[in-house]
Amino acid sequence: VKDSPKPLVTKQDKPDVSIQSDFEYPDVYVEELDQTQEFYKEQHETSFSFVTKKNWFSYTASKDGILTKVLFFGKPNFQPSDHYGNSMHGFIREGNPDTGAKFGEWDLSRDDIVNQLSAQGINDREAGWITIRMKGKIPQIAGKTYFFVCDKITGGKPWFGAFAFAEGNTYKKGRFWLHPEHDLVFRTYVGKTADQLEKEQKGEPLFDSGSATLVPTNDVPEAPKPMIEL
């Protein structure tokens, strides 16, 4: 059963204009997993809109640095579709999805998802890990809450994606827009730039877990675990 909201009738202005980027991928020298939620409700999926209050998920950082990428667990939506677009675009906000400080940008297309899953040996009707690389230097400060916000969907369509989620508030330091106790299956990664590395005190670890790796890293995480129905 697909647990996705009903289609909206709102349409975007100039929906088919290509999106030009003013940001570049950050140059970071180390990268580490920060936040993660890896349980999901089987046979349930959800989507992003570009409309306020239906277009975000949140998490709370535990490491200082630069946000390098966000991973979701999901699959491409069906095409052709009256309700699902070919790509989505957005940015990161701090503290509030509508008014918080705005940083960087990101893009994800249906073709991106298909190609990434194919590289993992997964067909386009099965779910897998989807990587979204961040553009711009998006600060991450331990203890602050950030919002992954979608503001555009191409093709004049109201929804994008088919992403796995959990119920029961499995991730208590953030949420998905759809319900206070719903959480996407996701991972966030934090890196440090050369300037940040120079500011580190000599002899101290770059991250507290000892799991930092040189970047870029293209390792695919293990699949998340389905929730056990009680």
Side-chain angles (χ1 to χ4, degrees):
V1 178
K2 187 174 179 62
D3 190 18
S4 186
K6 295 180 179 179
L8 301 175
V9 295
T10 308
K11 289 187 179 293
Q12 295 169 265
D13 295 331
K14 300 180 180 179
D16 291 313
V17 174
S18 61
I19 298 168
Q20 300 297 320
S21 175
D22 295 325
F23 295 92
E24 296 181 354
Y25 296 115
D27 290 326
V28 296
Y29 289 84
V30 291
E31 184 178 68
E32 187 181 30
L33 174 67
D34 186 9
Q35 298 300 294
T36 180
Q37 194 296 111
E38 298 189 18
F39 290 95
Y40 67 95
K41 188 174 178 64
E42 291 186 289
Q43 299 182 344
H44 285 66
E45 301 161 355
T46 192
S47 306
F48 282 89
S49 176
F50 62 87
V51 176
T52 301
K53 298 183 179 180
K54 301 177 184 291
N55 65 340
W56 56 266
F57 96 96
S58 64
Y59 64 92
T60 300
S62 68
K63 303 181 187 302
D64 297 337
I66 300 293
L67 183 67
T68 57
K69 61 190 179 188
V70 174
L71 274 61
F72 294 138
F73 194 76
K75 59 189 177 183
N77 40 254
F78 285 111
Q79 288 287 12
S81 170
D82 293 333
H83 308 304
Y84 290 88
N86 289 321
S87 68
M88 67 174 179
H89 168 92
F91 44 80
I92 304 296
R93 285 195 188 272
E94 178 187 310
N96 184 288
D98 302 318
T99 61
K102 181 179 175 182
F103 300 105
E105 68 179 18
W106 53 263
D107 294 283
L108 180 66
S109 71
R110 187 179 188 280
D111 286 346
D112 291 337
I113 297 174
V114 171
N115 292 336
Q116 288 189 36
L117 296 185
S118 176
Q120 299 171 45
I122 300 172
N123 68 52
D124 62 5
R125 295 319 313 148
E126 295 178 311
W129 283 107
I130 301 162
T131 298
I132 306 171
R133 293 181 62 198
M134 299 293 112
K135 295 179 181 178
K137 293 182 179 180
I138 302 172
Q140 300 287 276
I141 299 174
K144 289 187 177 291
T145 298
Y146 296 91
F147 291 80
F148 176 101
V149 180
C150 172
D151 72 335
K152 294 183 180 69
I153 295 175
T154 57
K157 306 296 175 64
W159 300 105
F160 181 86
F163 303 110
F165 69 95
E167 295 179 342
N169 199 22
T170 56
Y171 178 78
K172 301 186 184 304
K173 296 178 289 184
R175 56 167 290 195
F176 185 56
W177 68 264
L178 186 60
H179 190 280
E181 293 193 351
H182 287 186
D183 297 295
L184 292 181
V185 178
F186 77 96
R187 286 180 158 220
T188 67
Y189 287 79
V190 172
K192 286 188 182 291
T193 65
D195 289 341
Q196 290 173 324
L197 294 180
E198 289 178 2
K199 295 177 182 178
E200 295 282 336
Q201 295 183 10
K202 291 183 179 180
E204 292 188 358
L206 297 176
F207 296 104
D208 59 10
S209 74
S211 63
T213 60
L214 294 176
V215 295
T217 176
N218 296 313
D219 293 341
V220 177
E222 293 184 4
K225 298 177 181 179
M227 300 184 70
I228 299 175
E229 299 289 344
L230 299 178

PDB file of all heavy atoms in Angstrom, residues 30-63:
ATOM      1  N   VAL A  30      38.358  14.863   4.429  1.00  0.00           N
ATOM      2  CA  VAL A  30      37.893  13.718   5.205  1.00  0.00           C
ATOM      3  C   VAL A  30      36.375  13.781   5.268  1.00  0.00           C
ATOM      4  O   VAL A  30      35.774  14.837   5.108  1.00  0.00           O
ATOM      5  CB  VAL A  30      38.464  13.704   6.646  1.00  0.00           C
ATOM      6  CG1 VAL A  30      39.947  13.430   6.643  1.00  0.00           C
ATOM      7  CG2 VAL A  30      38.137  15.009   7.355  1.00  0.00           C
ATOM      8  N   GLU A  31      35.754  12.646   5.473  1.00  0.00           N
ATOM      9  CA  GLU A  31      34.298  12.565   5.488  1.00  0.00           C
ATOM     10  C   GLU A  31      33.871  11.501   6.469  1.00  0.00           C
ATOM     11  O   GLU A  31      34.502  10.447   6.568  1.00  0.00           O
ATOM     12  CB  GLU A  31      33.787  12.214   4.094  1.00  0.00           C
ATOM     13  CG  GLU A  31      32.280  12.182   3.960  1.00  0.00           C
ATOM     14  CD  GLU A  31      31.880  11.877   2.526  1.00  0.00           C
ATOM     15  OE1 GLU A  31      32.140  10.730   2.098  1.00  0.00           O
ATOM     16  OE2 GLU A  31      31.350  12.752   1.838  1.00  0.00           O
ATOM     17  N   GLU A  32      32.774  11.761   7.195  1.00  0.00           N
ATOM     18  CA  GLU A  32      32.314  10.797   8.182  1.00  0.00           C
ATOM     19  C   GLU A  32      30.797  10.773   8.260  1.00  0.00           C
ATOM     20  O   GLU A  32      30.136  11.810   8.133  1.00  0.00           O
ATOM     21  CB  GLU A  32      32.875  11.138   9.568  1.00  0.00           C
ATOM     22  CG  GLU A  32      32.558  10.066  10.608  1.00  0.00           C
ATOM     23  CD  GLU A  32      33.091  10.430  11.982  1.00  0.00           C
ATOM     24  OE1 GLU A  32      33.186  11.607  12.289  1.00  0.00           O
ATOM     25  OE2 GLU A  32      33.394   9.488  12.745  1.00  0.00           O
ATOM     26  N   LEU A  33      30.260   9.594   8.476  1.00  0.00           N
ATOM     27  CA  LEU A  33      28.835   9.448   8.737  1.00  0.00           C
ATOM     28  C   LEU A  33      28.472  10.193  10.012  1.00  0.00           C
ATOM     29  O   LEU A  33      29.153  10.077  11.024  1.00  0.00           O
ATOM     30  CB  LEU A  33      28.491   7.963   8.886  1.00  0.00           C
ATOM     31  CG  LEU A  33      27.061   7.625   9.316  1.00  0.00           C
ATOM     32  CD1 LEU A  33      26.062   8.008   8.238  1.00  0.00           C
ATOM     33  CD2 LEU A  33      26.950   6.132   9.644  1.00  0.00           C
ATOM     34  N   ASP A  34      27.385  10.962   9.963  1.00  0.00           N
ATOM     35  CA  ASP A  34      26.918  11.655  11.163  1.00  0.00           C
ATOM     36  C   ASP A  34      25.578  11.072  11.605  1.00  0.00           C
ATOM     37  O   ASP A  34      25.516  10.176  12.436  1.00  0.00           O
ATOM     38  CB  ASP A  34      26.819  13.157  10.915  1.00  0.00           C
ATOM     39  CG  ASP A  34      26.468  13.922  12.186  1.00  0.00           C
ATOM     40  OD1 ASP A  34      26.467  13.319  13.279  1.00  0.00           O
ATOM     41  OD2 ASP A  34      26.187  15.131  12.096  1.00  0.00           O
ATOM     42  N   GLN A  35      24.478  11.538  11.016  1.00  0.00           N
ATOM     43  CA  GLN A  35      23.161  11.077  11.441  1.00  0.00           C
ATOM     44  C   GLN A  35      22.656   9.934  10.567  1.00  0.00           C
ATOM     45  O   GLN A  35      22.964   9.867   9.367  1.00  0.00           O
ATOM     46  CB  GLN A  35      22.161  12.236  11.406  1.00  0.00           C
ATOM     47  CG  GLN A  35      22.521  13.364  12.356  1.00  0.00           C
ATOM     48  CD  GLN A  35      22.567  12.889  13.792  1.00  0.00           C
ATOM     49  OE1 GLN A  35      21.538  12.507  14.366  1.00  0.00           O
ATOM     50  NE2 GLN A  35      23.743  12.908  14.391  1.00  0.00           N
ATOM     51  N   THR A  36      21.869   9.046  11.171  1.00  0.00           N
ATOM     52  CA  THR A  36      21.326   7.915  10.425  1.00  0.00           C
ATOM     53  C   THR A  36      20.040   7.404  11.058  1.00  0.00           C
ATOM     54  O   THR A  36      19.874   7.461  12.278  1.00  0.00           O
ATOM     55  CB  THR A  36      22.371   6.772  10.337  1.00  0.00           C
ATOM     56  OG1 THR A  36      21.825   5.685   9.598  1.00  0.00           O
ATOM     57  CG2 THR A  36      22.792   6.295  11.713  1.00  0.00           C
ATOM     58  N   GLN A  37      19.131   6.957  10.202  1.00  0.00           N
ATOM     59  CA  GLN A  37      17.895   6.287  10.623  1.00  0.00           C
ATOM     60  C   GLN A  37      17.680   5.172   9.618  1.00  0.00           C
ATOM     61  O   GLN A  37      17.428   5.436   8.441  1.00  0.00           O
ATOM     62  CB  GLN A  37      16.718   7.266  10.638  1.00  0.00           C
ATOM     63  CG  GLN A  37      15.472   6.763  11.372  1.00  0.00           C
ATOM     64  CD  GLN A  37      14.802   5.529  10.753  1.00  0.00           C
ATOM     65  OE1 GLN A  37      14.822   4.428  11.324  1.00  0.00           O
ATOM     66  NE2 GLN A  37      14.213   5.702   9.586  1.00  0.00           N
ATOM     67  N   GLU A  38      17.755   3.905  10.051  1.00  0.00           N
ATOM     68  CA  GLU A  38      17.790   2.816   9.087  1.00  0.00           C
ATOM     69  C   GLU A  38      16.763   1.721   9.356  1.00  0.00           C
ATOM     70  O   GLU A  38      17.021   0.551   9.118  1.00  0.00           O
ATOM     71  CB  GLU A  38      19.213   2.255   9.002  1.00  0.00           C
ATOM     72  CG  GLU A  38      20.199   3.307   8.516  1.00  0.00           C
ATOM     73  CD  GLU A  38      21.573   2.761   8.200  1.00  0.00           C
ATOM     74  OE1 GLU A  38      21.699   1.544   8.030  1.00  0.00           O
ATOM     75  OE2 GLU A  38      22.514   3.567   8.130  1.00  0.00           O
ATOM     76  N   PHE A  39      15.602   2.113   9.843  1.00  0.00           N
ATOM     77  CA  PHE A  39      14.456   1.208   9.893  1.00  0.00           C
ATOM     78  C   PHE A  39      13.383   1.732   8.952  1.00  0.00           C
ATOM     79  O   PHE A  39      13.288   2.948   8.720  1.00  0.00           O
ATOM     80  CB  PHE A  39      13.890   1.112  11.314  1.00  0.00           C
ATOM     81  CG  PHE A  39      14.789   0.373  12.267  1.00  0.00           C
ATOM     82  CD1 PHE A  39      15.678   1.061  13.078  1.00  0.00           C
ATOM     83  CD2 PHE A  39      14.757  -1.012  12.347  1.00  0.00           C
ATOM     84  CE1 PHE A  39      16.511   0.385  13.957  1.00  0.00           C
ATOM     85  CE2 PHE A  39      15.589  -1.700  13.217  1.00  0.00           C
ATOM     86  CZ  PHE A  39      16.464  -0.993  14.026  1.00  0.00           C
ATOM     87  N   TYR A  40      12.578   0.818   8.403  1.00  0.00           N
ATOM     88  CA  TYR A  40      11.514   1.276   7.512  1.00  0.00           C
ATOM     89  C   TYR A  40      10.292   0.365   7.619  1.00  0.00           C
ATOM     90  O   TYR A  40      10.391  -0.789   8.036  1.00  0.00           O
ATOM     91  CB  TYR A  40      11.993   1.324   6.061  1.00  0.00           C
ATOM     92  CG  TYR A  40      12.302  -0.027   5.447  1.00  0.00           C
ATOM     93  CD1 TYR A  40      11.352  -0.708   4.689  1.00  0.00           C
ATOM     94  CD2 TYR A  40      13.553  -0.628   5.613  1.00  0.00           C
ATOM     95  CE1 TYR A  40      11.628  -1.944   4.129  1.00  0.00           C
ATOM     96  CE2 TYR A  40      13.852  -1.850   5.043  1.00  0.00           C
ATOM     97  CZ  TYR A  40      12.875  -2.504   4.305  1.00  0.00           C
ATOM     98  OH  TYR A  40      13.163  -3.717   3.753  1.00  0.00           O
ATOM     99  N   LYS A  41       9.157   0.922   7.245  1.00  0.00           N
ATOM    100  CA  LYS A  41       7.903   0.175   7.216  1.00  0.00           C
ATOM    101  C   LYS A  41       7.766  -0.458   5.834  1.00  0.00           C
ATOM    102  O   LYS A  41       7.778   0.249   4.820  1.00  0.00           O
ATOM    103  CB  LYS A  41       6.716   1.099   7.501  1.00  0.00           C
ATOM    104  CG  LYS A  41       5.392   0.382   7.674  1.00  0.00           C
ATOM    105  CD  LYS A  41       4.317   1.356   8.101  1.00  0.00           C
ATOM    106  CE  LYS A  41       2.955   0.661   8.227  1.00  0.00           C
ATOM    107  NZ  LYS A  41       2.948  -0.355   9.283  1.00  0.00           N
ATOM    108  N   GLU A  42       7.651  -1.775   5.789  1.00  0.00           N
ATOM    109  CA  GLU A  42       7.614  -2.476   4.514  1.00  0.00           C
ATOM    110  C   GLU A  42       6.390  -2.096   3.689  1.00  0.00           C
ATOM    111  O   GLU A  42       5.305  -1.857   4.211  1.00  0.00           O
ATOM    112  CB  GLU A  42       7.627  -3.991   4.747  1.00  0.00           C
ATOM    113  CG  GLU A  42       8.943  -4.520   5.299  1.00  0.00           C
ATOM    114  CD  GLU A  42       8.959  -6.036   5.384  1.00  0.00           C
ATOM    115  OE1 GLU A  42       8.246  -6.564   6.251  1.00  0.00           O
ATOM    116  OE2 GLU A  42       9.674  -6.667   4.584  1.00  0.00           O
ATOM    117  N   GLN A  43       6.587  -2.021   2.373  1.00  0.00           N
ATOM    118  CA  GLN A  43       5.533  -1.748   1.390  1.00  0.00           C
ATOM    119  C   GLN A  43       4.886  -0.392   1.606  1.00  0.00           C
ATOM    120  O   GLN A  43       3.730  -0.180   1.237  1.00  0.00           O
ATOM    121  CB  GLN A  43       4.484  -2.872   1.395  1.00  0.00           C
ATOM    122  CG  GLN A  43       5.064  -4.224   1.037  1.00  0.00           C
ATOM    123  CD  GLN A  43       4.019  -5.317   1.009  1.00  0.00           C
ATOM    124  OE1 GLN A  43       2.915  -5.164   1.516  1.00  0.00           O
ATOM    125  NE2 GLN A  43       4.378  -6.440   0.404  1.00  0.00           N
ATOM    126  N   HIS A  44       5.608   0.525   2.214  1.00  0.00           N
ATOM    127  CA  HIS A  44       5.132   1.890   2.366  1.00  0.00           C
ATOM    128  C   HIS A  44       6.195   2.854   1.832  1.00  0.00           C
ATOM    129  O   HIS A  44       7.387   2.653   2.064  1.00  0.00           O
ATOM    130  CB  HIS A  44       4.833   2.213   3.830  1.00  0.00           C
ATOM    131  CG  HIS A  44       3.568   1.604   4.338  1.00  0.00           C
ATOM    132  ND1 HIS A  44       3.406   0.242   4.462  1.00  0.00           N
ATOM    133  CD2 HIS A  44       2.399   2.166   4.734  1.00  0.00           C
ATOM    134  CE1 HIS A  44       2.189  -0.014   4.926  1.00  0.00           C
ATOM    135  NE2 HIS A  44       1.560   1.136   5.097  1.00  0.00           N
ATOM    136  N   GLU A  45       5.749   3.877   1.119  1.00  0.00           N
ATOM    137  CA  GLU A  45       6.649   4.867   0.534  1.00  0.00           C
ATOM    138  C   GLU A  45       6.048   6.253   0.709  1.00  0.00           C
ATOM    139  O   GLU A  45       4.847   6.401   0.928  1.00  0.00           O
ATOM    140  CB  GLU A  45       6.835   4.591  -0.965  1.00  0.00           C
ATOM    141  CG  GLU A  45       7.409   3.227  -1.276  1.00  0.00           C
ATOM    142  CD  GLU A  45       7.158   2.825  -2.719  1.00  0.00           C
ATOM    143  OE1 GLU A  45       6.462   3.584  -3.431  1.00  0.00           O
ATOM    144  OE2 GLU A  45       7.644   1.761  -3.138  1.00  0.00           O
ATOM    145  N   THR A  46       6.887   7.252   0.593  1.00  0.00           N
ATOM    146  CA  THR A  46       6.414   8.620   0.674  1.00  0.00           C
ATOM    147  C   THR A  46       7.214   9.491  -0.274  1.00  0.00           C
ATOM    148  O   THR A  46       8.181   9.025  -0.888  1.00  0.00           O
ATOM    149  CB  THR A  46       6.487   9.144   2.123  1.00  0.00           C
ATOM    150  OG1 THR A  46       5.766  10.367   2.220  1.00  0.00           O
ATOM    151  CG2 THR A  46       7.929   9.335   2.574  1.00  0.00           C
ATOM    152  N   SER A  47       6.815  10.754  -0.413  1.00  0.00           N
ATOM    153  CA  SER A  47       7.393  11.627  -1.434  1.00  0.00           C
ATOM    154  C   SER A  47       7.579  13.044  -0.902  1.00  0.00           C
ATOM    155  O   SER A  47       7.043  13.415   0.131  1.00  0.00           O
ATOM    156  CB  SER A  47       6.472  11.672  -2.662  1.00  0.00           C
ATOM    157  OG  SER A  47       6.194  10.377  -3.148  1.00  0.00           O
ATOM    158  N   PHE A  48       8.343  13.827  -1.668  1.00  0.00           N
ATOM    159  CA  PHE A  48       8.501  15.257  -1.409  1.00  0.00           C
ATOM    160  C   PHE A  48       7.626  16.052  -2.368  1.00  0.00           C
ATOM    161  O   PHE A  48       7.513  15.709  -3.540  1.00  0.00           O
ATOM    162  CB  PHE A  48       9.954  15.705  -1.623  1.00  0.00           C
ATOM    163  CG  PHE A  48      10.872  15.362  -0.493  1.00  0.00           C
ATOM    164  CD1 PHE A  48      11.532  14.138  -0.474  1.00  0.00           C
ATOM    165  CD2 PHE A  48      11.099  16.262   0.537  1.00  0.00           C
ATOM    166  CE1 PHE A  48      12.410  13.825   0.558  1.00  0.00           C
ATOM    167  CE2 PHE A  48      11.963  15.949   1.578  1.00  0.00           C
ATOM    168  CZ  PHE A  48      12.618  14.729   1.591  1.00  0.00           C
ATOM    169  N   SER A  49       7.051  17.152  -1.864  1.00  0.00           N
ATOM    170  CA  SER A  49       6.458  18.178  -2.710  1.00  0.00           C
ATOM    171  C   SER A  49       7.382  19.388  -2.700  1.00  0.00           C
ATOM    172  O   SER A  49       8.418  19.385  -2.025  1.00  0.00           O
ATOM    173  CB  SER A  49       5.072  18.563  -2.186  1.00  0.00           C
ATOM    174  OG  SER A  49       4.531  19.627  -2.961  1.00  0.00           O
ATOM    175  N   PHE A  50       7.014  20.428  -3.455  1.00  0.00           N
ATOM    176  CA  PHE A  50       7.744  21.697  -3.377  1.00  0.00           C
ATOM    177  C   PHE A  50       6.955  22.726  -2.579  1.00  0.00           C
ATOM    178  O   PHE A  50       7.390  23.868  -2.400  1.00  0.00           O
ATOM    179  CB  PHE A  50       8.035  22.248  -4.778  1.00  0.00           C
ATOM    180  CG  PHE A  50       6.781  22.546  -5.564  1.00  0.00           C
ATOM    181  CD1 PHE A  50       6.151  23.777  -5.459  1.00  0.00           C
ATOM    182  CD2 PHE A  50       6.226  21.597  -6.403  1.00  0.00           C
ATOM    183  CE1 PHE A  50       4.992  24.052  -6.183  1.00  0.00           C
ATOM    184  CE2 PHE A  50       5.066  21.851  -7.121  1.00  0.00           C
ATOM    185  CZ  PHE A  50       4.444  23.091  -7.008  1.00  0.00           C
ATOM    186  N   VAL A  51       5.771  22.332  -2.091  1.00  0.00           N
ATOM    187  CA  VAL A  51       4.870  23.247  -1.392  1.00  0.00           C
ATOM    188  C   VAL A  51       5.246  23.312   0.085  1.00  0.00           C
ATOM    189  O   VAL A  51       5.529  22.288   0.714  1.00  0.00           O
ATOM    190  CB  VAL A  51       3.403  22.783  -1.552  1.00  0.00           C
ATOM    191  CG1 VAL A  51       2.467  23.681  -0.754  1.00  0.00           C
ATOM    192  CG2 VAL A  51       3.022  22.764  -3.019  1.00  0.00           C
ATOM    193  N   THR A  52       5.226  24.505   0.646  1.00  0.00           N
ATOM    194  CA  THR A  52       5.543  24.706   2.060  1.00  0.00           C
ATOM    195  C   THR A  52       4.748  23.743   2.934  1.00  0.00           C
ATOM    196  O   THR A  52       3.574  23.496   2.695  1.00  0.00           O
ATOM    197  CB  THR A  52       5.219  26.155   2.464  1.00  0.00           C
ATOM    198  OG1 THR A  52       5.983  27.029   1.639  1.00  0.00           O
ATOM    199  CG2 THR A  52       5.571  26.410   3.915  1.00  0.00           C
ATOM    200  N   LYS A  53       5.387  23.196   3.939  1.00  0.00           N
ATOM    201  CA  LYS A  53       4.843  22.246   4.909  1.00  0.00           C
ATOM    202  C   LYS A  53       4.744  20.824   4.372  1.00  0.00           C
ATOM    203  O   LYS A  53       4.383  19.912   5.107  1.00  0.00           O
ATOM    204  CB  LYS A  53       3.477  22.697   5.453  1.00  0.00           C
ATOM    205  CG  LYS A  53       3.533  24.019   6.204  1.00  0.00           C
ATOM    206  CD  LYS A  53       2.174  24.388   6.779  1.00  0.00           C
ATOM    207  CE  LYS A  53       2.253  25.704   7.539  1.00  0.00           C
ATOM    208  NZ  LYS A  53       0.943  26.095   8.117  1.00  0.00           N
ATOM    209  N   LYS A  54       5.081  20.617   3.097  1.00  0.00           N
ATOM    210  CA  LYS A  54       5.060  19.276   2.508  1.00  0.00           C
ATOM    211  C   LYS A  54       6.372  18.975   1.785  1.00  0.00           C
ATOM    212  O   LYS A  54       6.412  18.141   0.885  1.00  0.00           O
ATOM    213  CB  LYS A  54       3.892  19.138   1.526  1.00  0.00           C
ATOM    214  CG  LYS A  54       2.519  19.370   2.125  1.00  0.00           C
ATOM    215  CD  LYS A  54       1.431  19.273   1.065  1.00  0.00           C
ATOM    216  CE  LYS A  54       0.061  19.605   1.610  1.00  0.00           C
ATOM    217  NZ  LYS A  54      -0.439  18.603   2.545  1.00  0.00           N
ATOM    218  N   ASN A  55       7.451  19.656   2.189  1.00  0.00           N
ATOM    219  CA  ASN A  55       8.656  19.637   1.354  1.00  0.00           C
ATOM    220  C   ASN A  55       9.963  19.497   2.125  1.00  0.00           C
ATOM    221  O   ASN A  55      11.008  19.922   1.642  1.00  0.00           O
ATOM    222  CB  ASN A  55       8.709  20.920   0.517  1.00  0.00           C
ATOM    223  CG  ASN A  55       8.864  22.175   1.365  1.00  0.00           C
ATOM    224  OD1 ASN A  55       8.566  22.173   2.566  1.00  0.00           O
ATOM    225  ND2 ASN A  55       9.316  23.256   0.754  1.00  0.00           N
ATOM    226  N   TRP A  56       9.961  18.865   3.303  1.00  0.00           N
ATOM    227  CA  TRP A  56      11.202  18.835   4.081  1.00  0.00           C
ATOM    228  C   TRP A  56      11.302  17.614   4.987  1.00  0.00           C
ATOM    229  O   TRP A  56      10.313  16.947   5.266  1.00  0.00           O
ATOM    230  CB  TRP A  56      11.322  20.100   4.938  1.00  0.00           C
ATOM    231  CG  TRP A  56      10.148  20.353   5.856  1.00  0.00           C
ATOM    232  CD1 TRP A  56       9.050  21.130   5.595  1.00  0.00           C
ATOM    233  CD2 TRP A  56       9.935  19.824   7.175  1.00  0.00           C
ATOM    234  NE1 TRP A  56       8.186  21.111   6.662  1.00  0.00           N
ATOM    235  CE2 TRP A  56       8.702  20.322   7.650  1.00  0.00           C
ATOM    236  CE3 TRP A  56      10.676  18.975   8.000  1.00  0.00           C
ATOM    237  CZ2 TRP A  56       8.189  19.998   8.907  1.00  0.00           C
ATOM    238  CZ3 TRP A  56      10.165  18.648   9.255  1.00  0.00           C
ATOM    239  CH2 TRP A  56       8.940  19.164   9.692  1.00  0.00           C
ATOM    240  N   PHE A  57      12.541  17.346   5.409  1.00  0.00           N
ATOM    241  CA  PHE A  57      12.773  16.486   6.562  1.00  0.00           C
ATOM    242  C   PHE A  57      13.874  17.134   7.384  1.00  0.00           C
ATOM    243  O   PHE A  57      14.661  17.949   6.874  1.00  0.00           O
ATOM    244  CB  PHE A  57      13.123  15.049   6.142  1.00  0.00           C
ATOM    245  CG  PHE A  57      14.591  14.750   6.097  1.00  0.00           C
ATOM    246  CD1 PHE A  57      15.228  14.142   7.177  1.00  0.00           C
ATOM    247  CD2 PHE A  57      15.354  15.057   4.982  1.00  0.00           C
ATOM    248  CE1 PHE A  57      16.592  13.853   7.129  1.00  0.00           C
ATOM    249  CE2 PHE A  57      16.716  14.775   4.929  1.00  0.00           C
ATOM    250  CZ  PHE A  57      17.332  14.176   6.022  1.00  0.00           C
ATOM    251  N   SER A  58      13.937  16.796   8.674  1.00  0.00           N
ATOM    252  CA  SER A  58      14.904  17.448   9.555  1.00  0.00           C
ATOM    253  C   SER A  58      15.747  16.423  10.307  1.00  0.00           C
ATOM    254  O   SER A  58      15.360  15.272  10.484  1.00  0.00           O
ATOM    255  CB  SER A  58      14.191  18.358  10.562  1.00  0.00           C
ATOM    256  OG  SER A  58      13.361  17.602  11.433  1.00  0.00           O
ATOM    257  N   TYR A  59      16.928  16.885  10.748  1.00  0.00           N
ATOM    258  CA  TYR A  59      17.842  16.071  11.545  1.00  0.00           C
ATOM    259  C   TYR A  59      18.663  17.028  12.405  1.00  0.00           C
ATOM    260  O   TYR A  59      18.721  18.241  12.138  1.00  0.00           O
ATOM    261  CB  TYR A  59      18.767  15.242  10.641  1.00  0.00           C
ATOM    262  CG  TYR A  59      19.685  16.088   9.793  1.00  0.00           C
ATOM    263  CD1 TYR A  59      20.969  16.437  10.228  1.00  0.00           C
ATOM    264  CD2 TYR A  59      19.265  16.569   8.554  1.00  0.00           C
ATOM    265  CE1 TYR A  59      21.797  17.230   9.466  1.00  0.00           C
ATOM    266  CE2 TYR A  59      20.086  17.366   7.786  1.00  0.00           C
ATOM    267  CZ  TYR A  59      21.348  17.698   8.237  1.00  0.00           C
ATOM    268  OH  TYR A  59      22.158  18.494   7.488  1.00  0.00           O
ATOM    269  N   THR A  60      19.307  16.507  13.424  1.00  0.00           N
ATOM    270  CA  THR A  60      20.157  17.307  14.297  1.00  0.00           C
ATOM    271  C   THR A  60      21.593  16.809  14.193  1.00  0.00           C
ATOM    272  O   THR A  60      21.866  15.631  14.452  1.00  0.00           O
ATOM    273  CB  THR A  60      19.673  17.235  15.759  1.00  0.00           C
ATOM    274  OG1 THR A  60      18.331  17.727  15.821  1.00  0.00           O
ATOM    275  CG2 THR A  60      20.563  18.077  16.668  1.00  0.00           C
ATOM    276  N   ALA A  61      22.495  17.700  13.806  1.00  0.00           N
ATOM    277  CA  ALA A  61      23.895  17.329  13.607  1.00  0.00           C
ATOM    278  C   ALA A  61      24.558  16.993  14.940  1.00  0.00           C
ATOM    279  O   ALA A  61      24.223  17.558  15.981  1.00  0.00           O
ATOM    280  CB  ALA A  61      24.648  18.455  12.919  1.00  0.00           C
ATOM    281  N   SER A  62      25.532  16.086  14.908  1.00  0.00           N
ATOM    282  CA  SER A  62      26.326  15.793  16.097  1.00  0.00           C
ATOM    283  C   SER A  62      27.806  16.080  15.865  1.00  0.00           C
ATOM    284  O   SER A  62      28.617  15.876  16.756  1.00  0.00           O
ATOM    285  CB  SER A  62      26.144  14.328  16.524  1.00  0.00           C
ATOM    286  OG  SER A  62      26.723  13.453  15.570  1.00  0.00           O
ATOM    287  N   LYS A  63      28.157  16.558  14.646  1.00  0.00           N
ATOM    288  CA  LYS A  63      29.547  16.840  14.316  1.00  0.00           C
ATOM    289  C   LYS A  63      29.642  18.201  13.632  1.00  0.00           C
ATOM    290  O   LYS A  63      28.731  18.603  12.907  1.00  0.00           O
ATOM    291  CB  LYS A  63      30.111  15.758  13.396  1.00  0.00           C
ATOM    292  CG  LYS A  63      30.020  14.345  13.984  1.00  0.00           C
ATOM    293  CD  LYS A  63      30.601  13.319  13.057  1.00  0.00           C
ATOM    294  CE  LYS A  63      30.351  11.912  13.592  1.00  0.00           C
ATOM    295  NZ  LYS A  63      30.902  11.694  14.929  1.00  0.00           N
TER     296      LYS A  63
END
